Structure formats: structure tokens, C-alpha cells
């Protein structure tokens, strides 16, 4: 292997695992853009892909084709959309592999560059020689506050591991991996009154296990209020913001999630609820089991692979959502966008990085598909959009998005 080949393999591995510096990212895109022909670029990408140190690909071929089609459909000229279809020969598979690999590594930008070789100079100007920002923002992490029934608060990210408190018959423990676990030994008369709340700040997230064994992941700027011990005929909790639930099955005691004036009721299932105040719709996405969503005027039952949108009018609209895993990528440490607007991306970024966002000038009306680790700095997330013409400036805890 030549020195240049070894360098390319190193750059691909670094970018894939989110360890590449800004200078290394620029060097990688310079190699991509300087390829004289698609065939030369294909050879470079294929070799780097073959030597990539990864246990499994990010997407299978079918999902890669779907994402690439979404990318093509987001281009500014809707009358000139090319449709990627399943390959029927090895050469077409190679071409898809090149495009999909590019899309995986660089979000969506590099594929746009590959599709527009004639605009290479303009693309180079956008993607190359971008200096590391003087200011940057670190990603969020495990941060939350536990409020006990007596009003006492415990800052979970700084609390020691082990037993934190006791609420009625429930013992509250913090594990070494940053998880809150409730376990009850029998029942006491005070259990019914022992309501607790876990709240995450902007830039925070947390996971807890309720006393029935149900697991809850809280996204940033969210809260969960719940009894330390479930008693009675139902298990009721209340959330703000966004949470993912894996509910322990108990047919005799349905699990109910209250969100504003809406109730999501289940017996045992996996689902995600997003209900931020700055989002247009409340979204409930079902991955397993079934849930019933209801308010004072409407109700609907979801099946796996469906998403319910609760409109401000109170209307509940149910759609098939075969990519339901996208809705819970956040709990696995991933930003995953599918046909997302710049505004949608920036709302999510503002919550995770705890920053203010403003827009300067006319921002392109485009939809984006791509994914990147939530463990990267803010500038690295923003760079994903820079490759297709969206720029940014970071000053202290403020991100300005510019055309």
C-alpha cells in the first residue's frame, strides 16, 4: 500500500469514527474533489471502503437507495430529479456503493459534489480551506435533576453512585453508567403520595428504570413526573419535551403517558413521544406493540411502524412511518435527519448544545438526509450543512446560520 493510499484510508476511518480534525476533513474532501473522473473517484472510495475498520455498515443497500433518492429529490430543480433504482449489474452496484459510501461518510454533501462535477470549483470554494472556528460548543451529556416528593433536589450528574434516597418503599440508586433505578420492597401507605420528577436541561439527557421495570430515556430539555411506586389500576406518568419508553408488560395495570391534554395508553410496548413547545406537532412514533392516543375530541390506535401527529387543532393524523428507528436515534447518540429542514435541524441542535440560534439572510429552502454522532462539537454538525451551501458562525453560545 502506497503512502497516499494509507493516508486516504486513515482519513476515511477518522471521519467515520468522528475523530478527524477539521483540517483532516478538509484534506479528505480535497482528495474527493480533485479526482479527475468518476471512475478514479470510485476506485479511491472502493479501496478506502474495503479497508475501513468497522464491524458493520451504517445502512444496508435498500436504505442507502432510499436515502439517496431523498437527497436527489431535495435538489432545487424538482423537474430534473433522477431516481435511483435497484442495480441490475455489477457496474451499477459499484456506482451505488460509491454514492452511498460518500453519503454515509459526509452526510449528503459529498454526493451532491459527485453529482455536480461540472461545478467543482464552486464546490471546492464551499468545502475546502475552512478554518476551525475560533469559538465552538461541546455536545451535551448525562445531566439531570431529580426532585423528590418532599421537594428535595439531587443533581444526578454530580451525585455519587449508589443509593441516593428512599421514597416510601422505593430505593433510588444511581448506577456507574449514569442510570437511575427505582426498586420497591413491598408497599407502604406513603407510596401513593411519593411523586418524583426527573428533568433534563438543554444539553442534557438521562435514562431511568421505573419500579415496574419500564425503561425511559429523556432527551434534552425534557421532564418525567412519576410515582416512586405504581399503585392502583393504572401506571401513570407525565412528560414534557421528548422521551422514549420501553414499557414492562402488565395487562392488569395499563401504562398511561400524559402530555399536555393528550394521553398515550399502552400495555407493553416501545414508543417515542416528542412534544416540545417549539415544535408544530406532537409526534408519537410506535416501534413495537400498540398504543392508543386520545384527547377530549379524538382518539387513534397506532400499529408498529406508524406515527401520530397531534395538530394544534386537536386533530390526530396517523401515517405509516417505516423508518421509525429514525425517531429514536437520539437515544443511541445519533443525530439522524430524513428530509429535515434547516429549521428542524437547528431546533434540535439548540436543545442539545444549549445554544441560541438566529438566521441571517435568505436561507435555502432545502431538506436534508444524513446522520452524525451527537458526541461531536457544534461546528462539526454545522459543517454537515456547509457542504451544500449553508454557512454558520459560532460566538460564545450563539450560532448564526447564513446562506
Amino acid at each position: 500500500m502506497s503512502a497516499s493510499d494509507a493516508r486516504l484510508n486513515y482519513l476515511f476511518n477518522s471521519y467515520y469514527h468522528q475523530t478527524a480534525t477539521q483540517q483532516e476533513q478538509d484534506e479528505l474532501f480535497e482528495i474527493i474533489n480533485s479526482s479527475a473522473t468518476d471512475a478514479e473517484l470510485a476506485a479511491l472510495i472502493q479501496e478506502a471502503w474495503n479497508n475501513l475498520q468497522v464491524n458493520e455498515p451504517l445502512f444496508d443497500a435498500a436504505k442507502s437507495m432510499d436515502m439517496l433518492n431523498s437527497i436527489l429529490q431535495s435538489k432545487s430543480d424538482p423537474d430534473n430529479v433522477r431516481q435511483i433504482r435497484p442495480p441490475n449489474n455489477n457496474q451499477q452496484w459499484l456506482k451505488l456503493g460509491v454514492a452511498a459510501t460518500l453519503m454515509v461518510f459526509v452526510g449528503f454533501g459529498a454526493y451532491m459534489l459527485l453529482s455536480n462535477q461540472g461545478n467543482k470549483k464552486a464546490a471546492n470554494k464551499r468545502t475546502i480551506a475552512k478554518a476551525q472556528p475560533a469559538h465552538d460548543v461541546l455536545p451535551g451529556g448525562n445531566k439531570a435533576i431529580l426532585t423528590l416528593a418532599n421537594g428535595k433536589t439531587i443533581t444526578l450528574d454530580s451525585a455519587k453512585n449508589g443509593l441516593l434516597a428512599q421514597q416510601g418503599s422505593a430505593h433510588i440508586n444511581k448506577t456507574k453508567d449514569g442510570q437511575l433505578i427505582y426498586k420497591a420492597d413491598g408497599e407502604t401507605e406513603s407510596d401513593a403520595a411519593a411523586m418524583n420528577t426527573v428533568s433534563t436541561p438543554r444539553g442534557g439527557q438521562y435514562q431511568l428504570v421505573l419500579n415496574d421495570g419500564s425503561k425511559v430515556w429523556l432527551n434534552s430539555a425534557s421532564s418525567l413526573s412519576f410515582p416512586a411506586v405504581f399503585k392502583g389500576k393504572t401506571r401513570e406518568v407525565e412528560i414534557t419535551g421528548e422521551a422514549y419508553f420501553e414499557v414492562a408488560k402488565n395487562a392488569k395495570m395499563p401504562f398511561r403517558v400524559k402530555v399536555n391534554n393528550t394521553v398515550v395508553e399502552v400495555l407493553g410496548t416501545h414508543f417515542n413521544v416528542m412534544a416540545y413547545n417549539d415544535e408544530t406537532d406532537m409526534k408519537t412514533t410506535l416501534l413495537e406493540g400498540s398504543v392508543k392516543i386520545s384527547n377530549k375530541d379524538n382518539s387513534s390506535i397506532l400499529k408498529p411502524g406508524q406515527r401520530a401527529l397531534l395538530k394544534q387543532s386537536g386533530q390526530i393524523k396517523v401515517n405509516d412511518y417505516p423508518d421509525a428507528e429514525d425517531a429514536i436515534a437520539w437515544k443511541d447518540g445519533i443525530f439522524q435527519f430524513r428530509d429535515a429542514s434547516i429549521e428542524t435541524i437547528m431546533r434540535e441542535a439548540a436543545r442539545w448544545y444549549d445554544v441560541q440560534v438566529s438566521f441571517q439572510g435568505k436561507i435555502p429552502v432545502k431538506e436534508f438526509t444524513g446522520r452524525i454522532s451527537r458526541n461531536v462539537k457544534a461546528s462539526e454538525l454545522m459543517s454537515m450543512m456547509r457542504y451544500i451551501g449553508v454557512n454558520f458562525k459560532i460566538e460564545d453560545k450563539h450560532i448564526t446560520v447564513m446562506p
Side-chain angles (χ1 to χ4, degrees):
M1 181 184 294
S2 69
S4 59
D5 290 341
R7 181 60 178 172
L8 178 61
N9 291 334
Y10 166 79
L11 293 173
F12 264 81
N13 271 284
S14 297
Y15 196 98
Y16 187 98
H17 296 291
Q18 290 93 43
T19 60
T21 65
Q22 185 66 46
Q23 289 75 18
E24 288 171 340
Q25 293 178 43
D26 291 342
E27 183 181 350
L28 173 60
F29 292 119
E30 175 66 10
I31 294 174
I32 291 173
N33 288 330
S34 63
S35 301
T37 65
D38 284 2
E40 180 182 339
L41 178 57
L44 288 171
I45 300 297
Q46 187 67 44
E47 181 176 355
W49 175 256
N50 290 338
N51 288 284
L52 183 65
Q53 298 170 9
V54 64
N55 293 327
E56 60 182 30
L58 289 178
F59 302 107
D60 59 24
K63 182 164 284 190
S64 294
M65 282 189 287
D66 177 56
M67 295 182 77
L68 285 171
N69 282 325
S70 295
I71 295 167
L72 290 172
Q73 291 164 8
S74 71
K75 296 176 73 171
S76 57
D77 183 4
D79 295 324
N80 189 30
V81 174
R82 294 187 300 147
Q83 184 79 6
I84 297 287
R85 300 189 182 278
N88 54 26
N89 59 53
N90 290 337
Q91 184 62 33
Q92 287 180 322
W93 270 116
L94 175 61
K95 195 71 173 178
L96 171 64
V98 172
T101 301
L102 282 169
M103 187 274 295
V104 167
F105 283 122
V106 302
F108 29 74
Y111 182 75
M112 298 291 283
L113 298 178
L114 176 60
S115 301
N116 295 282
Q117 288 286 324
N119 296 324
K120 187 177 293 184
K121 290 184 179 180
N124 286 342
K125 184 177 180 181
R126 288 198 305 268
T127 62
I128 306 304
K130 294 289 186 180
Q132 183 75 17
H135 301 276
D136 212 336
V137 183
L138 295 175
N142 279 352
K143 303 174 187 176
I145 294 176
L146 168 64
T147 303
L148 302 174
N150 61 7
K152 178 183 177 181
T153 60
I154 301 173
T155 303
L156 296 177
D157 36 307
S158 59
K160 293 183 179 179
N161 299 333
L163 182 65
L164 297 181
Q166 184 170 348
Q167 293 279 271
S169 62
H171 294 79
I172 308 170
N173 289 274
K174 177 188 173 184
T175 65
K176 63 181 180 180
D177 57 351
Q179 186 180 94
L180 202 62
I181 298 180
Y182 280 68
K183 286 188 176 180
D185 299 324
E187 293 185 359
T188 68
E189 292 183 1
S190 61
D191 283 341
M195 291 294 295
N196 289 190
T197 299
V198 173
S199 55
T200 56
R202 288 162 60 96
Q205 63 182 15
Y206 221 81
Q207 182 185 351
L208 61 154
V209 180
L210 305 180
N211 90 288
D212 67 333
S214 295
K215 298 178 180 179
V216 186
W217 286 256
L218 278 179
N219 206 344
S220 53
S222 304
S223 69
L224 175 75
S225 296
F226 56 96
V229 178
F230 290 114
K231 296 184 68 175
K233 297 181 179 180
T234 61
R235 295 170 287 169
E236 293 191 354
V237 303
E238 187 169 353
I239 71 163
T240 65
E242 183 170 18
Y244 170 70
F245 293 85
E246 293 185 354
V247 177
K249 294 182 178 180
N250 185 345
K252 296 181 179 179
M253 189 181 290
F255 194 96
R256 294 161 55 93
V257 180
K258 293 184 177 180
V259 191
N260 299 325
N261 297 317
T262 302
V263 175
V264 180
E265 184 173 341
V266 305
L267 295 177
T269 190
H270 298 181
F271 63 100
N272 192 82
V273 178
M274 186 178 75
Y276 288 112
N277 290 332
D278 59 354
E279 297 289 344
T280 304
D281 304 322
M282 169 185 155
K283 300 175 182 177
T284 301
T285 307
L286 182 64
L287 288 87
E288 179 181 305
S290 65
V291 300
K292 179 181 179 180
I293 302 173
S294 58
N295 55 31
K296 64 178 182 179
D297 297 317
N298 301 287
S299 66
S300 293
I301 295 178
L302 289 187
K303 298 178 181 179
Q306 290 186 326
R307 166 180 281 184
L309 302 180
L310 177 62
K311 303 293 184 178
Q312 292 181 349
S313 63
Q315 178 188 7
I316 300 173
K317 185 177 181 180
V318 176
N319 294 316
D320 288 336
Y321 194 68
D323 302 302
E325 292 289 341
D326 291 358
I328 65 169
W330 63 267
K331 86 173 184 65
D332 297 320
I334 298 293
F335 285 114
Q336 184 140 318
F337 305 111
R338 186 180 296 274
D339 302 327
S341 66
I342 296 173
E343 291 81 3
T344 296
I345 294 172
M346 294 314 302
R347 285 196 298 271
E348 190 167 339
R351 291 190 288 263
W352 182 236
Y353 292 101
D354 186 18
V355 296
Q356 298 298 316
V357 174
S358 61
F359 296 87
Q360 179 179 311
K362 185 176 181 180
I363 305 302
V365 179
K366 294 183 179 180
E367 292 183 334
F368 305 105
T369 294
R371 66 183 254 160
I372 189 172
S373 169
R374 282 180 25 132
N375 292 325
V376 302
K377 296 179 181 179
S379 64
E380 295 177 72
L381 171 63
M382 296 306 301
S383 292
M384 185 171 67
M385 292 192 290
R386 173 190 280 162
Y387 297 120
I388 59 169
V390 178
N391 295 300
F392 68 94
K393 177 174 62 178
I394 301 177
E395 293 179 330
D396 297 324
K397 299 282 283 184
H398 191 112
I399 298 177
T400 303
V401 181
M402 304 168 289

